[in-house]
Each structure stands twice: as structure tokens, then as C-alpha cells.
Amino acid sequence: DVKVTQSSRYLVKRTGEKVFLECVQDMDHENMFWYRQDPGLGLRLIYFSYDVKMKEKGDIPEGYSVSREKKERFSLILESASTNQTSMYLCASSSPYRLADTDTQYFGPGTRLTVL
Amino acid sequence: DAKTTQPNSMESNEEEPVHLPCNHSTISGTDYIHWYRQLPSQGPEYVIHGLTSNVNNRMASLAIAEDRKSSTLILHRATLRDAAVYYCIPLAIFGTGTRLKVLA
């Protein structure tokens, strides 16, 4: 089974802190995604990556950056956390090349981040 | 960009079939239609996907319109464990989904 893990389930940070959210997948997937989920807004794509060192902006990249130095790991960085970044953050991975489940996304359990 | 439209919420009685509709009129010809569901306090999980023809798996069935502008997720016998938010998405564009409530 595909496994996507996220470094923390719950995280509390202070305004202005630099925050790192880590995501690791063990299925050799090419694509990785970061979303945030807020009540009434569904999932919104922040960034995605289709290869090592490659990244593309999603719908709401402002205030975030990402890093993909290794294929299995995709990090989301909040350079200076703000209270409006309090949210549930979800990581996912997928492969465009697997015939049985092309582009099917596998999600991690999520990190609930609170910025005080 | 493809955009989907789903009802905000639906209700079903336990043990009855549920048809969850989705409109995706701007989907491209090569985009798979994926359905996911999200149980409380969990990340979304894959349910089913298809391209043109109807698909069945152990969780659900997917009926895709001939023009591919809409699809319907079918849960043949809803159970209380099927209460979740259901998302219909082409590629990575999630909307707000349909919150399914199953009544005992």
C-alpha cells in the first residue's frame, strides 16, 4: 500500500516563526502536492512538484515556498507564519505513469497548524 | 482549467443507493475523472476513477456521461460509514465537495 506520511499531526507556532512541514512518500511517485483545507473552502492547492527540484505554483502560493531535493520528500515552508495560515495542511503524491491508477492521489493524514 | 460543480450536501437512508452527481463541463478529453472521499479527521482517500466508460470497484460505481461533461458516483447500499465529504475532481482541482449524511 502507498504510504504518505507527514511529520506532525498537530503543530503550534507563533506569528513570525519559520515553519517547516515535511511530507514523505514511499511509492516512488513523481508528483507531490501540498494543499490547505479550511471550513467551507474545500481543498486548495498551494504548490505541486512533478520532479526533483521542480515546483509549480498552485492556486494560493502566497506566503509559502516548497523544496523537493529528493524524490520521496516534499517540504512546505512558511517563511514567516501568520495567523491566517492557521489551517489543516495535506500532502499528496501521485504518478502519471501507472496504468492502474494514473494520477490517483494518495494523501497523508494532515497536519493541523495553529499560528498564535 | 477544469471546474466542477457538486451539490453542497445530500442525505440518504441507510441501505439505500446513493447517486452523487458532478458536473465538469470544461474537462479536457484526456483528463481522468477521479472521486475521493474524506472521512472526519482524515485525509481524502481514493474511491474510483474513469475516463470514458463506466467503472465498478468494491467501493462504488462511476457512471460517466457520453459527452464526459458530467459523472455520477453510485454507492449501491449506503452505510453509516459512508458519511463523508465526496469530491469529484479532474487532476488536482478540488472543490468543496458534497457532504453526504446517511440516516439510520
Side-chain angles (χ1 to χ4, degrees):
Chain A
D1 280 354
V2 176
K3 193 163 185 187
V4 179
T5 56
Q6 296 183 228
S7 49
S8 307
R9 288 301 302 269
Y10 300 94
L11 205 55
V12 180
K13 295 291 181 181
R14 296 206 174 274
T15 301
E17 281 193 77
K18 190 168 186 175
V19 182
F20 292 87
L21 302 182
E22 303 286 337
C23 176
V24 178
Q25 50 95 3
D26 66 358
M27 282 300 292
D28 201 36
H29 281 170
E30 291 77 14
N31 301 332
M32 295 189 75
F33 307 82
W34 274 107
Y35 297 89
R36 65 177 281 177
Q37 184 172 32
D38 301 288
L41 296 176
L43 275 77
R44 293 180 291 168
L45 182 63
I46 304 172
Y47 268 97
F48 68 97
S49 167
Y50 52 87
D51 201 353
V52 175
K53 297 192 184 294
M54 307 300 286
K55 61 184 180 184
E56 292 285 342
K57 292 180 180 179
D59 297 323
I60 51 163
E62 296 79 17
Y64 304 94
S65 62
V66 289
S67 172
R68 189 145 181 224
E69 297 296 318
K70 293 184 179 181
K71 192 175 185 180
E72 68 271 18
R73 189 180 297 270
F74 192 35
S75 302
L76 180 70
I77 303 154
L78 287 66
E79 294 290 342
S80 177
S82 62
T83 54
N84 63 13
Q85 292 179 309
T86 292
S87 185
M88 170 70 83
Y89 290 87
L90 290 157
C91 173
S93 72
S94 73
S95 172
Y97 305 119
R98 295 171 188 243
L99 285 178
D101 61 355
T102 302
D103 288 322
T104 297
Q105 293 185 47
Y106 295 88
F107 283 83
T111 296
R112 186 165 292 283
L113 172 68
T114 301
V115 182
L116 301 176
Chain B
D1 285 346
K3 179 178 167 59
T4 58
T5 305
Q6 298 177 255
N8 287 334
S9 63
M10 292 182 65
E11 282 188 1
S12 171
N13 294 318
E14 204 175 7
E15 302 296 314
E16 289 188 358
V18 182
H19 291 232
L20 298 165
C22 179
N23 287 321
H24 32 76
S25 57
T26 57
I27 194 173
S28 78
T30 56
D31 290 343
Y32 280 85
I33 300 155
H34 283 79
W35 282 80
Y36 296 80
R37 72 179 186 182
Q38 187 173 21
L39 302 170
S41 302
Q42 295 186 27
E45 63 174 351
Y46 166 81
V47 176
I48 200 167
H49 77 289
L51 186 61
T52 54
S53 52
N54 296 343
V55 184
N56 300 296
N57 66 19
R58 63 176 178 81
M59 289 180 73
S61 295
L62 177 60
I64 301 171
E66 202 169 319
D67 61 8
R68 291 189 11 101
K69 293 186 176 181
S70 65
S71 62
T72 302
L73 180 72
I74 303 163
L75 307 179
H76 295 285
R77 291 179 66 191
T79 70
L80 296 177
R81 289 176 294 178
D82 291 322
V85 178
Y86 287 80
Y87 296 94
C88 154
I89 73 163
L91 296 180
I93 304 172
F94 279 83
T96 52
T98 297
R99 183 173 297 277
L100 176 64
K101 186 175 180 180
V102 179
L103 307 174

